[in-house]
Amino acid sequence: MRFSQALINTVREVPADAEIISHQLMLRTGMIKKLAAGIYSYLPLGYRVIRKIERIIRQEMDLAGAQEVYLPVLCPSEIWQESGRWSLYGPELMRLKDRHQREFCLGPTHEEVITDLVRREVRSYRQLPVNLYQIQTKFRDEIRPRFGLMRGREFIMKDAYSFDVDEEGAEISYIKMKETYQNIFSRCGLKFKMVEADTGAIGGSFSHEFMVLAESGEDLIAGCQKCDYGSNIEKAECLAQKGEFSSDAGLWKERESVSTPNLTAVKEVASFLGVNPEQLVKTLFVQADQEIVAVLIRGDYELNEVKLKNLLGAAEITMADKETIETVTGGSMGFSGPVGLKNVRLLADYSVKNLVNFVTGANLKDTHLINVNWERDCPVPAFADLRIVQEGDVCPRCGTALSITRGIEVGHIFKLGTKYSKALKACYLDREGEEKVIVMGCYGIGVGRTMAAAIEQNHDKDGIIWPMPIAPYQVLVLPTDVTDKEIRDTADFIYGQLLAVGIETIIDDRDERPGIKFKDADLLGIPLRITIGRKSLNQGLVEIRIRESGETIRVPKDKYQEKVQELIHKLSNIYIMKLI
Ligand code: ATP
Ligand code: MG
């Protein structure tokens, strides 16, 4: 490509509405343009990166034996009603009506469509297993679209679905995808961690997310520093305090009411009473579908709503409002406690199980109770793992301290079981001619989000540093002065030769000052830059600069090609492709 003819508009200023670096750099390099909130056009440079990522995905999916399909974006409501998700999906689902007032949605994911296809195409066990994937635009009316391609309302996703005869087969398909995803993200040049993820209402223990490690990530990951345990914080287990509940009555002190005017925050109450926050028990009220539940948790810990939701099997949980709390407790918000609480289910996190003489609210304005004890002062609640893990908590696998880092979820794999195949009656006939339900898995990758994550991980103050495998161009040829005929001809010759051997090359043939060209080159982040300048040319040399390391190599002008090939190879994460 010739820069002079390309639609590339670089911008020096940081755009005001872009908070994170990948969004800023994509706008500054003119790779994407916003049309409306969460809706973007991909410009030529940006779309090249998208296609490179898609190519890696296609190669790896095909190697794993998956087959590419293309399903409709516009989906009739009937199949969504069959799965039950027409009513469950909520406002994220973009719904619309056709001229006959029939209801449709724009696909946010395609379990329904693919299951409908497979139930009509697959009859016999002989046709299974099968894994079908597509790369397609998805629609989700996200409540907070932001960070550019990271969380859009219209975005490109690779979604795949596996169909197997039984659980065992489904597990093999799942493991294959796990390996495939590791290959895909490694080939994209990303540093990532595969972590356990919450399976929510679907149940089962098979779901992993692929997290690109980056400060701007919206997800928190708990990772072990010793073994390979990693989990989304939503799922990360806190080691239960083992053993039956027992409390030593010999230690119990007399319970007292203490006046704590206007003190509701744990820290304030603890310091006022001269105790550690660990000695306080917080009482939280949660609206779980139609029920109000009181949850007790140690003062220094936070409730994990996902764990609570799963434990209760609730469709939705929200924190109860002030009015509800005051009706239930008969007291004032901020001063709740379990003593004397009636007609609500009590649940407690394991962290409060072994406490004695603890502090709680008194269900009375401006009052707390000290020296509260289970059994004597209130019934022993049901204990469960309900809190969010914290830095330094122990790894549930090996006991080493966990650390908490941020990550961007670029991929998510899921063993679905028969959730959709049962609902939509996707069955096959087994060897004995008996009808059985197909067992499914589903596997997603956010293509645009992967591109954004790659920039989050690979940039410096001057701009992007594309990993070679997903760079929009591999080489940028930069003649420092196009009015100098020898420079221009040499640059043109090199450009032509590189194209001829299949190297993706762009030439900055603009009549601009070298300073501007160098600045743009760094901003765009093409991995290799070949500079043709007067000084080196007088010595018969050209310069090859590696964007990543900043290293410059001077080579004779007729020897540049070998060096470029060698560097591309070195920077390409070429690995031995293996059939799985
Ligand atoms: P998140 O928790 O970030 O909303 P999700 O769990 O809703 O993600 P999935 O339904 O598993 O996401 O979708 C598969 C993949 O699609 C995700 O791993 C992510 O990479 C990508 N993705 C999901 N939502 C968006 C979005 N709004 N914009 C861009 N990519 C997205
Ligand atoms: Mg989502």
Side-chain angles (χ1 to χ4, degrees):
M1 185 71 222
R2 290 189 175 274
F3 212 124
S4 60
Q5 292 160 16
L7 181 63
I8 303 175
N9 284 323
T10 55
V11 184
R12 293 275 168 267
E13 304 76 45
V14 176
D17 59 343
E19 294 166 63
I20 61 167
I21 194 77
S22 59
H23 189 194
Q24 292 170 3
L25 287 171
M26 276 194 226
L27 293 174
R28 287 185 55 203
T29 49
M31 289 197 289
I32 58 167
K33 197 91 195 166
K34 180 164 141 185
L35 178 66
I39 304 174
Y40 288 86
S41 301
Y42 305 91
L43 276 71
L45 212 54
Y47 197 52
R48 285 185 72 92
V49 178
I50 294 282
R51 278 177 24 220
K52 290 278 236 348
I53 296 171
E54 290 180 354
R55 202 175 80 189
I56 293 173
I57 293 175
R58 285 200 171 90
Q59 284 176 350
E60 291 297 331
M61 291 301 291
D62 292 349
L63 269 175
Q67 300 168 74
E68 188 166 1
V69 293
Y70 195 83
L71 305 170
V73 172
L74 194 56
C75 310
S77 64
E78 286 81 3
I79 47 175
W80 281 75
Q81 256 139 11
E82 269 189 81
S83 73
R85 284 210 288 188
W86 188 254
S87 53
L88 283 180
Y89 212 95
E92 242 184 54
L93 190 63
M94 297 261 195
R95 299 163 208 253
L96 63 159
K97 283 189 182 141
D98 71 4
R99 64 172 75 205
H100 308 291
Q101 301 305 306
R102 285 192 208 109
E103 288 188 300
F104 285 81
C105 67
L106 299 177
T109 174
H110 275 69
E111 283 80 8
E112 283 79 0
V113 180
I114 195 92
T115 310
D116 171 66
L117 181 79
V118 166
R119 72 177 164 186
R120 289 185 285 142
E121 291 300 319
V122 170
R123 295 258 159 269
S124 152
Y125 71 95
R126 285 197 193 88
Q127 294 168 279
L128 297 171
V130 67
N131 185 330
L132 302 171
Y133 77 96
Q134 62 169 346
I135 298 179
Q136 186 194 46
T137 300
K138 296 279 188 275
F139 296 85
R140 293 184 186 178
D141 199 357
E142 297 275 356
I143 188 164
R144 225 178 305 129
R146 57 182 185 158
F147 300 160
L149 299 191
M150 208 65 101
R151 185 169 296 284
R153 295 197 295 162
E154 172 177 328
F155 60 97
I156 303 172
M157 196 205 280
K158 187 284 303 184
D159 46 328
Y161 307 87
S162 64
F163 300 85
D164 277 272
V165 291
D166 55 18
E167 287 289 331
E168 213 184 330
E171 205 163 307
I172 294 169
S173 296
Y174 184 86
I175 291 167
K176 257 194 201 174
M177 282 299 108
K178 213 153 112 176
E179 290 181 14
T180 299
Y181 272 43
Q182 282 167 323
N183 291 345
I184 290 170
F185 295 121
S186 307
R187 281 187 64 190
C188 288
L190 295 167
K191 288 182 275 303
F192 63 95
K193 190 169 172 70
M194 185 179 77
V195 302
E196 293 178 10
D198 176 53
T199 49
I202 294 167
S205 58
F206 287 100
S207 177
H208 287 89
E209 287 166 343
F210 291 78
M211 296 285 191
V212 167
L213 307 174
E215 264 313 301
S216 60
E218 290 185 286
D219 285 276
L220 287 167
I221 314 161
C224 180
Q225 295 160 10
K226 195 163 157 216
C227 72
D228 62 0
Y229 174 77
S231 174
N232 189 315
I233 206 135
E234 292 179 346
K235 162 107 198 296
E237 298 160 53
C238 300
L239 274 192
Q241 280 158 2
K242 298 248 173 346
E244 289 295 300
F245 168 78
S246 72
S247 184
D248 186 351
L251 297 173
W252 293 350
K253 294 187 192 160
E254 197 175 327
R255 193 181 85 204
E256 287 175 47
S257 273
V258 184
S259 166
T260 49
N262 296 322
L263 300 179
T264 53
V266 168
K267 271 200 185 129
E268 289 170 1
V269 178
S271 92
F272 180 78
L273 297 173
V275 296
N276 289 326
E278 293 99 273
Q279 206 51 30
L280 260 70
V281 172
K282 291 192 277 197
T283 308
L284 309 169
F285 292 90
V286 174
Q287 175 90 44
D289 299 336
Q290 304 313 318
E291 194 190 359
I292 301 286
V293 182
V295 185
L296 308 169
I297 191 157
R298 216 170 77 179
D300 54 332
Y301 288 136
E302 296 303 323
L303 172 67
N304 183 326
E305 293 186 25
V306 176
K307 287 181 183 175
L308 179 65
K309 188 170 168 216
N310 290 343
L311 181 80
L312 296 171
E316 197 160 342
I317 64 168
T318 48
M319 299 311 287
D321 57 21
K322 186 168 179 282
E323 244 175 32
T324 312
I325 294 175
E326 297 187 348
T327 315
V328 171
T329 63
S332 167
M333 183 160 149
F335 298 93
S336 305
V339 180
L341 209 57
K342 289 197 188 74
N343 307 324
V344 250
R345 190 153 141 205
L346 268 190
L347 285 176
D349 179 64
Y350 285 123
S351 57
V352 297
K353 188 163 143 188
N354 294 334
L355 291 183
V356 287
N357 302 321
F358 49 88
V359 179
T360 70
N363 296 325
L364 196 66
K365 188 165 168 47
D366 295 339
T367 316
H368 277 80
L369 298 174
I370 60 168
N371 300 330
V372 180
N373 286 287
W374 304 123
E375 285 182 307
R376 183 190 68 187
D377 302 312
C378 59
V380 181
F383 294 104
D385 174 13
L386 292 172
R387 71 176 174 93
I388 296 177
V389 282
Q390 289 185 349
E391 183 90 32
D393 268 327
V394 293
C395 167
R397 302 276 179 278
C398 77
T400 310
L402 291 174
S403 56
I404 313 280
T405 46
R406 287 199 163 269
I408 301 166
E409 180 203 316
V410 286
H412 195 173
I413 60 175
F414 226 114
K415 190 158 159 257
L416 288 172
T418 54
K419 183 181 158 83
Y420 295 94
S421 43
K422 222 184 222 160
L424 275 85
K425 300 188 187 62
C427 300
Y428 68 96
L429 295 177
D430 73 4
R431 224 175 262 275
E432 279 74 44
E434 207 179 307
E435 196 173 72
K436 296 260 169 69
V437 180
I438 298 176
V439 186
M440 291 172 58
C442 70
Y443 318 92
I445 293 181
V447 178
R449 194 183 280 186
T450 300
M451 173 175 167
I455 300 176
E456 287 295 320
Q457 249 181 14
N458 301 283
H459 67 270
D460 62 12
K461 64 174 190 355
D462 298 319
I464 305 174
I465 307 173
W466 285 114
M468 183 63 85
I470 61 170
Y473 292 95
Q474 296 169 305
V475 176
L476 170 79
V477 177
L478 193 154
T480 54
D481 180 2
V482 289
T483 60
D484 178 325
K485 186 167 183 323
E486 193 193 355
I487 290 183
R488 196 181 61 226
D489 288 348
T490 310
D492 271 344
F493 181 74
I494 290 177
Y495 171 59
Q497 257 191 346
L498 287 174
L499 287 183
V501 294
I503 292 174
E504 297 160 12
T505 311
I506 180 165
I507 181 169
D508 192 349
D509 58 344
R510 294 174 301 169
D511 186 9
E512 289 281 5
R513 282 185 293 114
I516 289 182
K517 291 190 179 187
F518 289 138
K519 269 214 149 39
D520 276 344
D522 280 347
L523 183 62
L524 296 180
I526 309 300
L528 298 175
R529 185 183 89 199
I530 305 181
T531 311
I532 298 105
R534 190 68 263 162
K535 247 201 219 147
S536 0
L537 210 52
N538 287 343
Q539 303 167 340
L541 303 172
V542 296
E543 277 178 12
I544 303 174
R545 182 167 182 274
I546 303 167
R547 175 70 180 90
E548 189 187 330
S549 61
E551 191 189 345
T552 303
I553 307 159
R554 302 177 86 203
V555 287
K557 66 175 184 186
D558 52 351
K559 291 272 165 49
Y560 76 93
Q561 206 181 323
E562 286 159 41
K563 194 68 200 169
V564 165
Q565 298 270 24
E566 180 196 317
L567 287 169
I568 288 178
H569 191 78
K570 205 170 117 193
L571 295 169
S572 285
N573 282 328
I574 301 279
Y575 77 123
I576 313 292
M577 287 204 200
K578 57 175 191 205
L579 285 168
I580 49 176

